[in-house]
Amino acid sequence: AFSREDVVAKLKAQYPQGAPGNLVRVSQFLLGLPSGWALGRDCSDGDQVRIRTDRYRLGPSGAPSLWIGSQGSWVLYTAPVFIPRSFEPHTASLYARGSGRLRLTALGEGSELSSQEYALQPAQWQRVTITFSPLLKGVMHQLRLEGEGSVWLDAFQVERGSQATDFAPARPCQLALALPESDASAARIQFADEAPVILYAVRGAPSGSVLRLTQYDLYGGTTRLDVRNPGPQGRLMLKPPAAHPLGTFRVEAYVKDARGRIISPVDEVVFHRVRRPRYWNKPAPRSPFGVHTVSTTRHIVMAKAIGANWTRLHDAGREYTSWAF
């Protein structure tokens, strides 16, 4: 057995210099929710909760802010954050403005480590911070945000220490990938009759830089695509393999400078290309295919897109059908 002192000594030896000041991989909101972020399972996107990048309201970081609008309450989970020196206190922070209150909670392996609630101001940005003690050698840490009404967010940061320092991204260049809006994009699905297009946004790329994308498919195939001197935003046509044009694809990307050095975080997007179902946007009363799912836009769109025409609100939908409710 190893004592805590043994584990701490091993982590100090493994990470003698600590880590970059900001441990968050993608800390600005150039194309909506960053990869790995997700609404709570009971928050229906597009109707109950709307989320988009607001290019007309820049945050304190100088980048477009993320707008969240809802008539009621919402819950948002950030992507996991890797904490190398998990024996030290860490501080999470972001800037927020809007109506109502915002609660920020640090989670370790799904358990609450620390939580703090703030009253937001609609006319000015304020720094929302929380200090927490990570789980020693914890595999996954993340933040949960709970709010209501209209809220704008910017400049997400997790760092060593008990105080929030000035915001700085982990890398000098910021990168984001996303799917364009389409019939089933809420479920990250593109139909075979839709163009295989991906969106990208780059901030802080110097002249001579290259955006390098690698497309992976389920059959072990890879395709590399380079964009030289990428603009702030762009659309890129992907190249699904002729032998396997359908299925699940992952696109991974980063930006390198003229000397070949990687200057951005690595971002990715996972999506699925399927045939458009015969009963898309219309009922299929004789269909025998159904699923159990919660009643949220992204889950119902996903079910319909794969040809499941019935949703049974049992177990997954117990929030609506159980006697307790």
Side-chain angles (χ1 to χ4, degrees):
F2 293 95
S3 67
R4 176 181 174 84
E5 289 73 21
D6 294 333
V7 174
V8 170
K10 185 175 181 180
L11 289 174
K12 286 182 177 179
Q14 190 172 0
Y15 304 104
Q17 304 301 322
N22 192 349
L23 299 176
V24 176
R25 182 175 53 85
V26 178
S27 54
Q28 294 173 314
F29 307 102
L30 305 181
L31 286 176
L33 283 184
S35 175
W37 289 52
L39 279 169
R41 60 169 261 161
D42 301 324
C43 300
S44 185
D45 45 325
D47 45 17
Q48 293 177 342
V49 184
R50 291 166 295 153
I51 300 178
R52 61 175 170 80
T53 292
D54 190 343
R55 304 196 175 280
Y56 299 99
R57 180 162 292 182
L58 301 182
S61 74
S65 60
L66 182 75
W67 175 74
I68 305 173
S70 173
Q71 294 296 321
S73 59
W74 48 265
V75 179
L76 185 63
Y77 292 90
T78 72
V81 177
F82 175 60
I83 299 181
R85 294 171 70 93
S86 55
F87 53 88
E88 298 177 333
H90 281 65
T91 298
S93 62
L94 54 89
Y95 283 91
R97 64 184 292 179
S99 58
R101 307 183 72 83
L102 180 69
R103 175 170 289 277
L104 180 61
T105 302
L107 303 173
E109 311 291 353
S111 299
E112 291 191 9
L113 303 177
S114 184
S115 188
Q116 181 71 41
E117 186 172 88
Y118 289 82
L120 299 182
Q121 303 297 321
Q124 65 183 36
W125 291 94
Q126 71 182 96
R127 195 85 180 269
V128 174
T129 68
I130 187 172
T131 299
F132 62 97
S133 297
L135 296 180
L136 188 63
K137 294 198 73 175
V139 174
M140 189 181 80
H141 293 86
Q142 64 182 151
L143 281 298
R144 182 179 68 212
L145 293 88
E146 300 166 84
E148 58 187 19
S150 287
V151 176
W152 286 263
L153 305 176
D154 181 44
F156 181 39
Q157 183 158 287
V158 175
E159 59 190 310
R160 296 165 60 191
S162 301
Q163 298 290 330
T165 62
D166 291 343
F167 169 76
R171 298 272 185 148
C173 176
Q174 287 287 287
L175 165 68
L177 302 177
L179 292 182
E181 287 192 20
S182 63
D183 284 354
S185 58
R188 297 190 179 181
I189 288 174
Q190 287 181 341
F191 291 132
D193 57 13
E194 296 174 328
V197 172
I198 193 171
L199 305 179
Y200 67 83
V202 176
R203 187 169 187 265
S207 176
S209 60
V210 175
L211 170 62
R212 171 156 293 179
L213 300 97
T214 305
Q215 170 188 295
Y216 300 87
D217 62 49
L218 286 175
Y219 303 93
T222 61
T223 303
R224 200 181 80 186
L225 302 165
D226 284 353
V227 179
R228 300 191 178 278
N229 288 312
Q233 293 187 62
R235 299 167 62 92
L236 188 65
M237 185 73 70
L238 301 177
K239 300 176 181 178
H244 306 291
L246 304 178
T248 298
F249 297 86
R250 181 172 69 89
V251 176
E252 183 180 278
Y254 59 84
V255 178
K256 60 179 183 176
D257 63 16
R259 297 173 59 185
R261 298 173 300 183
I262 296 177
I263 57 173
S264 79
V266 176
D267 199 20
E268 70 172 16
V269 62
V270 176
F271 65 98
H272 321 276
R273 289 189 60 81
V274 302
R275 296 182 180 89
R276 187 181 294 270
R278 183 175 301 174
Y279 289 95
W280 180 250
N281 274 342
K282 57 184 177 181
R286 295 186 178 183
S287 172
F289 300 108
V291 292
H292 286 197
T293 182
V294 292
S295 182
T296 63
T297 298
R298 59 192 178 279
H299 288 107
I300 291 176
V301 166
M302 184 186 301
K304 188 70 171 175
I306 64 172
N309 290 285
W310 299 91
T311 292
R312 184 171 184 243
L313 294 177
H314 176 70
D315 294 340
R318 64 183 297 272
E319 294 87 347
Y320 327 107
T321 60
S322 292
W323 283 107
F325 295 93

